[in-house]
Amino acid sequence: MTKDIRLNAFVGNSPVHLSPGLWAHPRNRALEYKDLNYWVELAKVLERGKFDALFVADGIGVYDVFHGSADSSIRSGAQVPKHDPLMAVSAMAHVTKHLGFGITASTSHEIPAVLARRFSSLDHLTKGRIGWNVVTGFTDSSAKALGHDSVLPHDTRYDRADEFLEATYKLWEGSWQEGAVIRDRASGVFADPTKVRRVRHKGEYFQLDTIHLTEPSPQRTPFLFQAGLSKRGRDFAAQHAEAVLLSGPSKATIGPAVRDMRERAVRFGRDPHDIIFFSLATVIVGRTREEANAKLDEYRSYVDPEGALALFSGWTGIDFSQFELGAPLLAETKDNAVHSMIDSFTSADPTRVWTLQEVVEHNGIGGRGPLLVGSPTDIADALQSWGEETGVDGFNLSYAVMPETYIDFVDLVVPELQRRGVYKKDYAPGTLRTKLHGQDALKVSHPGAAFRSFGEIDPAA
Amino acid sequence: MTKDIRLNAFVGNSPVHLSPGLWAHPRNRALEYKDLNYWVELAKVLERGKFDALFVADGIGVYDVFHGSADSSIRSGAQVPKHDPLMAVSAMAHVTKHLGFGITASTSHEIPAVLARRFSSLDHLTKGRIGWNVVTGFTDSSAKALGHDSVLPHDTRYDRADEFLEATYKLWEGSWQEGAVIRDRASGVFADPTKVRRVRHKGEYFQLDTIHLTEPSPQRTPFLFQAGLSKRGRDFAAQHAEAVLLSGPSKATIGPAVRDMRERAVRFGRDPHDIIFFSLATVIVGRTREEANAKLDEYRSYVDPEGALALFSGWTGIDFSQFELGAPLLAETKDNAVHSMIDSFTSADPTRVWTLQEVVEHNGIGGRGPLLVGSPTDIADALQSWGEETGVDGFNLSYAVMPETYIDFVDLVVPELQRRGVYKKDYAPGTLRTKLHGQDALKVSHPGAAFRSFGEIDPAA
């Protein structure tokens, strides 16, 4: 781990993100997810805690695998409703100076020229603090919302995403040359048309023929997040991602993933540290260990098993309604794929036989990352050892109660990390990419940088 | 005209909207269009002046008819760059309480379920202050940005827009029944799945099969603006629009359009006053008439003919580079379509023979609406007589210098209108639709209201 632990807050624009049922906790403000003040106040808390970014998950599908229906998701509010996370960004940017924004958007329901313009507009408005979490969309329900019968095959989705990125790189990096914008009041010249190139892209999945409609923004290409964990997804991330979000229950699952992806990055001509790894974790901290444990017990009493199973079934594609809540889970099925999926929830202790009830309790707060509970010292120890043993650079912190989980972390854990010299006392100046990778522009080893020269781009007619 | 004159500010997210060259004026802050503070400060000025809405034009094409190239548009900044206008809304909403936002989005480059979710999210964040200006996109350059060769035929675009609206009405009005959202902390029930319906739409242009992903927002369907002026466009607006934006140089062109569209609305079963008409106008006001005239002369010296002709050529499809600047314009062409187009710029004085230079001077500040110049009394007289003689309800006010044009109006004209009792002294409470039409929901005579019953919508599986 580098000196400074990196931190994102990991949320959804929904009454439930990864802690089903907890919206009903009396101190939880999660039901206010649809109001501007909720987002503005969260952004201020995170900036007070020197978080690198607010990271917002998204998707346009509803989880409908559990009992073969969306009813449980709707009843429990489990990522339904799910509002558009880009819409609140400018309000949050207006009340902060340094906080980055990692916003999810899918290459399956966006159009390259339109998405490129949207992110460039936000990169200007945030002064270089916007990041894009590139996803391909994995639920059939999201495909149906677009009028398709089902989602494309997994690898095809990534091929399509590769081409989507190529098209947007051309617009972001190649359309407006450095120095194209003149803004000379004396001559009345806004821009030099000889330095603005029309991008003609004619690929297998996308076509476009246009100049990029925004002038060059502080980062040009938004800071790129990715979270794919399949083999194809890892190659995609190893090529394109500047930060990767991992989730797994134990150091034993995360460490090898980090090493594998750094090796893949090298095979694609990049530096192994061109990618920053954030590992999902949920922190319940008290002034003492006892206080933290009491808090956890109280939170746990709100976990909604129906909502949890709706989420787990949606993520894995396994309809968990086929299993008894109290029976030993692995004994109930001989299906290897199911074993492997369940393992991804429970491998924190591979020798243990879990019941579904125990899986719900274990993952019902904060999802598939570790639940770190204790005093500020306990938490700092745990975060440091996760970093040292897995090679992750930081954490994608999920919440139990909003915004209490982040306020507790900022008030109790951040000062302890700062005392230990493993967390920044102040933000570095500059854009999100400068803060995380030391420069505004994509590194030259990044595939997007290749589109700065105009080799593949015809001059404007 | 009803008692209160209605007012929008009419802008683009660009260094130039309708006053090419004026970005170079020393007091013009138009070059800051890409910064958040520009929008936040504008919103505050407009709310101070009790404007009903900020109206932002948009499109993803570049004007490239003049000289058959985009070079003039790029050089003069004439609606190039053009940033995504939805991105700044939440920041503006956060610093205002009443101002509405009429944001343009095209049915040609959006996807129904995705756009519906985006506007619903904004309707929540703004507490019911969002409006959608429905456009179909008319430039080939916008079609090329989407990978098509050219724009669809005019009437086909409107047929497609009709179906786009039908699909989004189903989501907005039909997917979540009243009372579906429970939010009961005691029982842990967020929503009642029996009151959330899956919308299955299978049309000629669009398909979808999904629940709406946002809970019902204050207005459900965003307040609908439209600006189509063709016969097909007028029918579209007469059916769907709750406010219509007109532009024309004289009362003689606007009055008949208002009457015609109110009659069309009646033919579609609506009340003639279910549509509010805003007419484009640009106001240059001084404390005295002399001061205003001096200001106009100063502004005029900044008009950029190249940028003006790039805009006029783009709007009309006529390449004005074929005409001499100083020669009598109508004498140069026998083409009736060109005559009619030129007439739409110049019919303020139909007996006059215009040179292209004069058209540039006449329309180079604020575009194709009237330029109203004078003392506060002169302006109030002019606005009142426009209202009385044409039947428009208010004005879509373009600017010469940003934000000076609006500050002048708010400081000098608004108090005069208030003194005369023809302008509100304070905002009415409630959503944009409540402020303009007296209720949060679409009126029952509006075609969107038909989708509140679930006749056309299958229950969720």
Side-chain angles (χ1 to χ4, degrees):
Chain A
M1 182 171 275
T2 55
K3 190 166 172 285
D4 276 345
I5 293 176
R6 296 290 176 186
L7 292 180
N8 292 330
F10 186 38
V11 309
N13 199 332
S14 185
V16 171
H17 183 218
L18 300 176
S19 301
L22 270 80
W23 63 263
H25 185 286
R27 291 194 302 277
N28 202 335
R29 291 180 54 190
L31 293 181
E32 298 169 39
Y33 75 98
K34 57 195 175 45
D35 300 332
L36 213 34
N37 281 338
Y38 174 89
W39 294 101
V40 161
E41 290 171 28
L42 175 62
K44 286 179 181 170
V45 167
L46 300 178
E47 181 145 301
R48 181 161 68 80
K50 316 277 189 295
F51 275 53
D52 292 296
L54 170 68
F55 186 83
V56 194
D58 192 39
I60 59 161
V62 177
Y63 292 128
D64 55 8
V65 175
F66 187 58
H67 284 297
S69 148
D71 284 6
S72 292
S73 297
I74 294 169
R75 187 155 40 236
S76 63
Q79 303 195 5
V80 189
K82 190 156 45 187
H83 292 196
D84 188 326
L86 279 171
M87 294 303 106
V89 170
S90 70
M92 293 190 283
H94 187 241
V95 299
T96 54
K97 274 196 172 165
H98 293 284
L99 183 68
F101 303 96
I103 310 292
T104 303
S106 168
T107 53
S108 298
H109 70 253
E110 298 286 350
I111 296 165
V114 178
L115 175 129
R117 185 173 80 121
R118 190 166 288 142
F119 272 94
S120 293
S121 303
L122 276 174
D123 201 43
H124 279 292
L125 294 174
T126 63
K127 299 210 183 294
R129 293 188 279 147
I130 195 75
W132 175 24
N133 177 36
V134 186
V135 300
T136 65
F138 69 98
T139 59
D140 283 341
S141 59
S142 65
K144 285 177 180 163
L146 304 173
H148 309 305
D149 290 331
S150 62
V151 82
L152 288 172
H154 177 275
D155 286 9
T156 309
R157 293 206 309 272
Y158 275 102
D159 291 346
R160 205 171 164 282
D162 263 328
E163 195 192 316
F164 193 110
L165 280 176
E166 183 185 321
T168 52
Y169 291 149
K170 289 175 179 172
L171 292 166
W172 283 321
E173 301 290 328
S175 186
W176 291 68
Q177 231 171 328
E178 285 306 318
V181 181
I182 311 278
R183 287 192 202 89
D184 180 31
R185 287 180 195 253
S187 64
V189 173
F190 177 78
D192 177 354
T194 69
K195 294 183 174 171
V196 181
R197 303 300 175 100
R198 182 180 288 277
V199 173
R200 291 198 179 90
H201 175 87
K202 206 166 184 150
E204 193 174 341
Y205 302 100
F206 302 104
Q207 290 186 40
L208 57 87
D209 175 3
T210 186
I211 68 163
H212 189 37
L213 257 181
T214 64
E215 55 180 299
S217 68
Q219 301 184 115
R220 286 185 175 253
T221 296
F223 188 86
L224 295 172
F225 291 91
Q226 225 277 321
L229 270 191
S230 65
K231 209 174 144 190
R232 181 68 181 87
R234 286 184 187 197
D235 273 346
F236 181 84
Q239 281 176 278
H240 300 287
E242 300 176 277
V244 163
L245 312 156
L246 299 169
S247 51
S250 68
K251 296 168 191 168
T253 55
I254 295 297
V258 173
R259 284 191 294 279
D260 173 67
M261 293 187 71
R262 292 212 198 274
E263 282 167 22
R264 284 175 200 259
V266 171
R267 288 205 290 278
F268 286 111
R270 302 175 73 195
D271 185 280
H273 293 280
D274 281 357
I275 302 177
I276 291 176
F277 289 88
F278 291 92
S279 199
L280 177 63
T282 308
V283 168
I284 312 293
V285 63
R287 283 162 299 179
T288 62
R289 196 174 296 174
E290 293 66 40
E291 193 179 279
N293 283 325
K295 209 181 279 183
L296 174 64
D297 287 343
E298 194 216 0
Y299 290 167
R300 274 227 167 106
S301 70
Y302 287 90
V303 171
D304 177 353
E306 183 183 15
L309 293 172
L311 290 178
F312 302 167
S313 297
W315 297 337
T316 61
I318 301 165
D319 179 0
F320 280 102
S321 70
Q322 65 190 291
F323 304 120
E324 292 293 323
L325 265 178
L329 193 50
L330 296 185
E332 289 203 21
T333 175
K334 302 285 176 227
D335 186 328
N336 277 335
V338 175
H339 276 224
S340 150
M341 285 297 182
I342 293 167
D343 201 48
S344 79
F345 282 87
T346 60
S347 67
D349 181 355
T351 61
R352 178 170 155 191
V353 178
W354 295 70
T355 66
L356 190 52
Q357 177 69 39
E358 288 166 336
V359 177
V360 166
E361 282 169 14
H362 190 264
N363 295 280
I365 294 179
R368 270 192 286 191
L371 194 57
L372 308 176
V373 185
S375 68
T377 310
D378 294 336
I379 302 297
D381 288 348
L383 296 177
Q384 283 191 271
S385 78
W386 263 76
E388 284 155 15
E389 293 173 39
T390 64
V392 299
D393 303 280
F395 300 91
N396 213 21
L397 294 178
S398 186
Y399 65 92
V401 169
M402 183 70 99
E404 179 170 288
T405 300
Y406 296 113
I407 292 175
D408 286 349
F409 191 95
V410 168
D411 289 345
L412 297 172
V413 182
V414 164
E416 176 62 22
L417 294 173
Q418 287 170 329
R419 251 191 305 279
R420 295 181 182 202
V422 295
Y423 192 72
K424 57 186 166 306
K425 293 204 167 125
D426 220 330
Y427 282 106
T431 63
L432 181 57
R433 185 174 287 115
T434 292
K435 285 180 169 72
L436 296 179
H437 282 309
Q439 57 185 68
D440 288 343
L442 286 172
K443 292 196 175 177
V444 288
S445 53
H446 189 281
F451 298 101
R452 275 175 213 153
S453 74
F454 297 105
E456 300 203 13
I457 296 155
D458 301 328
Chain B
M1 181 170 279
T2 55
K3 188 165 174 285
D4 276 346
I5 293 176
R6 296 291 177 184
L7 292 180
N8 292 330
F10 186 37
V11 308
N13 199 333
S14 185
V16 171
H17 183 218
L18 300 176
S19 301
L22 269 80
W23 63 264
H25 186 286
R27 290 193 304 277
N28 202 334
R29 292 180 52 193
L31 293 181
E32 298 169 39
Y33 75 98
K34 58 195 174 45
D35 300 332
L36 214 33
N37 281 339
Y38 174 89
W39 294 102
V40 162
E41 289 170 28
L42 175 62
K44 286 178 181 170
V45 167
L46 299 178
E47 181 144 301
R48 180 161 69 81
K50 314 276 188 297
F51 275 55
D52 291 298
L54 170 68
F55 187 83
V56 193
D58 192 40
I60 59 161
V62 176
Y63 292 128
D64 55 7
V65 175
F66 188 58
H67 284 297
S69 149
D71 283 6
S72 292
S73 297
I74 293 169
R75 188 158 36 237
S76 63
Q79 304 195 3
V80 188
K82 191 156 43 186
H83 292 195
D84 187 327
L86 279 171
M87 294 303 106
V89 170
S90 71
M92 292 190 283
H94 188 241
V95 299
T96 54
K97 275 196 172 166
H98 292 284
L99 183 68
F101 303 96
I103 310 292
T104 303
S106 167
T107 54
S108 298
H109 70 253
E110 299 285 349
I111 297 165
V114 178
L115 175 128
R117 185 173 80 123
R118 190 166 289 142
F119 272 94
S120 293
S121 303
L122 275 174
D123 200 43
H124 279 292
L125 293 173
T126 62
K127 298 209 184 294
R129 292 189 277 148
I130 195 74
W132 174 25
N133 177 36
V134 186
V135 300
T136 65
F138 69 98
T139 60
D140 282 340
S141 58
S142 65
K144 285 178 180 164
L146 304 173
H148 310 304
D149 289 333
S150 63
V151 84
L152 289 171
H154 178 274
D155 286 9
T156 310
R157 292 205 308 272
Y158 276 102
D159 292 344
R160 205 172 163 280
D162 263 329
E163 195 191 317
F164 193 110
L165 281 175
E166 182 185 322
T168 52
Y169 292 149
K170 288 176 179 173
L171 291 167
W172 283 320
E173 301 290 328
S175 187
W176 292 67
Q177 230 173 328
E178 284 307 318
V181 181
I182 312 278
R183 288 193 203 90
D184 180 30
R185 288 182 194 251
S187 64
V189 174
F190 177 78
D192 177 355
T194 68
K195 293 184 175 169
V196 182
R197 303 301 175 101
R198 181 181 287 279
V199 173
R200 291 199 180 88
H201 175 87
K202 205 163 183 152
E204 192 175 341
Y205 302 100
F206 302 103
Q207 290 186 39
L208 57 86
D209 175 1
T210 186
I211 68 163
H212 189 38
L213 257 182
T214 64
E215 55 180 299
S217 68
Q219 300 184 116
R220 286 186 175 251
T221 296
F223 189 86
L224 295 172
F225 291 92
Q226 226 277 323
L229 270 191
S230 65
K231 207 174 147 193
R232 180 67 180 88
R234 286 183 187 198
D235 272 346
F236 180 85
Q239 282 177 278
H240 300 287
E242 302 176 277
V244 162
L245 311 156
L246 300 168
S247 51
S250 67
K251 297 170 190 166
T253 55
I254 295 297
V258 173
R259 283 189 296 279
D260 174 67
M261 293 188 72
R262 293 210 198 273
E263 281 166 23
R264 286 175 198 259
V266 170
R267 287 205 290 278
F268 287 110
R270 302 176 71 196
D271 185 279
H273 293 282
D274 282 355
I275 302 176
I276 292 176
F277 289 88
F278 290 93
S279 199
L280 177 64
T282 309
V283 169
I284 312 292
V285 63
R287 281 162 301 180
T288 62
R289 195 175 296 176
E290 294 65 38
E291 192 180 278
N293 283 327
K295 209 181 282 185
L296 174 65
D297 287 343
E298 195 215 1
Y299 291 167
R300 274 226 167 107
S301 69
Y302 287 89
V303 171
D304 177 354
E306 183 183 13
L309 294 172
L311 290 179
F312 302 167
S313 296
W315 298 336
T316 60
I318 301 164
D319 179 0
F320 280 102
S321 71
Q322 66 190 290
F323 304 119
E324 293 292 325
L325 265 177
L329 195 48
L330 297 185
E332 288 204 19
T333 175
K334 302 283 176 230
D335 185 327
N336 277 335
V338 174
H339 275 226
S340 153
M341 286 295 181
I342 293 167
D343 200 47
S344 79
F345 283 86
T346 59
S347 65
D349 182 354
T351 60
R352 178 169 156 193
V353 176
W354 295 71
T355 66
L356 190 52
Q357 177 70 38
E358 289 166 333
V359 177
V360 166
E361 282 169 15
H362 190 263
N363 296 279
I365 294 180
R368 269 192 286 191
L371 194 57
L372 307 176
V373 185
S375 68
T377 312
D378 293 335
I379 302 298
D381 288 348
L383 295 177
Q384 284 191 271
S385 79
W386 262 77
E388 284 154 15
E389 294 172 40
T390 65
V392 298
D393 303 280
F395 300 91
N396 214 19
L397 293 178
S398 187
Y399 65 92
V401 169
M402 183 69 96
E404 179 170 289
T405 301
Y406 297 113
I407 291 174
D408 286 350
F409 191 95
V410 169
D411 289 345
L412 298 173
V413 182
V414 164
E416 177 63 23
L417 294 175
Q418 288 171 328
R419 248 190 307 277
R420 296 179 181 202
V422 295
Y423 191 71
K424 57 185 164 307
K425 294 206 165 122
D426 218 332
Y427 282 107
T431 63
L432 181 56
R433 184 173 288 117
T434 292
K435 286 179 167 74
L436 296 179
H437 281 309
Q439 58 185 69
D440 288 342
L442 287 173
K443 292 196 176 177
V444 290
S445 54
H446 189 280
F451 298 101
R452 276 175 212 153
S453 74
F454 297 106
E456 300 205 14
I457 295 155
D458 302 326

